[in-house]
Amino acid sequence: VVYFLGMAFGGVMHKLRHDWGINEASLMVSLDTWLHIDPHLIMFVFLPALIFGDAMAIDTHQLRVSAWQVLMLAGPGVVIGAFATAAFAHLMPYAVGWGMEGCLVLGSILAATDPVAVVGLLKELGAPDFLTILIQGESLVNDGAAVVMYEIAFDLL
């Protein structure tokens, strides 16, 4: 995937420079700005707004009914997913020099899933509300559990 993204980025840069006369300096300034953005801005401004939007759209009564199932899917699911991803990443040759702690940070970042497309498809197909609420609730708790897992893994570094 990274290879294809690099090829696409190189193709766009070539097109901008040769066909449209735009130099890469202006694009690199924008890219540099995004690369050096404060991570706390994302963590404390963007993420709460996204989670709040999802939380306001959920049926709280249905969520209370399925709370136990949501917690069982999200809590252990994030931990198992983070450790499985960390173990897999630790075995990969590109992770040479990473400790298991660094791989666990990577695993905790990748453990959270975002089922926006799945929820949209379920609503479009007319799936039972219970199933939709279960997936939405699991996503919300999953995000919170992944953030906690990341903080713990990052403190281990």
Side-chain angles (χ1 to χ4, degrees):
V1 172
V2 175
Y3 176 73
F4 290 115
L5 288 175
M7 285 183 57
F9 184 73
V12 167
M13 292 301 298
H14 180 74
K15 185 81 167 165
L16 289 174
R17 186 174 56 224
H18 290 292
D19 293 349
W20 295 330
I22 298 173
N23 66 2
E24 62 270 359
S26 59
L27 185 60
M28 293 312 286
V29 168
S30 174
L31 183 62
D32 189 55
T33 302
W34 281 105
L35 287 176
H36 292 96
I37 193 169
D38 185 15
H40 293 99
L41 178 70
I42 295 171
M43 184 75 160
F44 297 121
V45 175
F46 295 133
L47 189 61
L50 291 171
I51 292 175
F52 179 76
D54 285 343
M56 289 301 293
I58 201 165
D59 181 11
T60 55
H61 175 71
Q62 282 288 90
L63 184 62
R64 276 191 214 114
V65 170
S66 61
W68 182 249
Q69 290 141 340
V70 166
L71 291 174
M72 285 292 100
L73 284 171
V78 168
V79 173
I80 291 168
F83 276 103
T85 304
F88 181 75
H90 192 65
L91 297 175
M92 292 293 106
Y94 63 81
V96 174
W98 291 19
M100 189 60 183
E101 297 85 7
C103 291
L104 190 57
V105 169
L106 175 69
S108 65
I109 290 170
L110 297 176
T113 58
D114 190 21
V116 172
V118 174
V119 171
L121 186 63
L122 288 175
K123 287 182 179 179
E124 183 179 317
L125 294 175
D129 288 339
F130 175 75
L131 183 60
T132 305
I133 296 299
L134 186 66
I135 292 173
Q136 281 180 324
E138 187 267 340
S139 171
L140 288 171
V141 177
N142 197 2
D143 290 343
V147 168
V148 171
M149 184 81 180
Y150 170 79
E151 291 291 332
I152 292 170
F154 191 76
D155 286 343
L156 292 175
L157 283 178

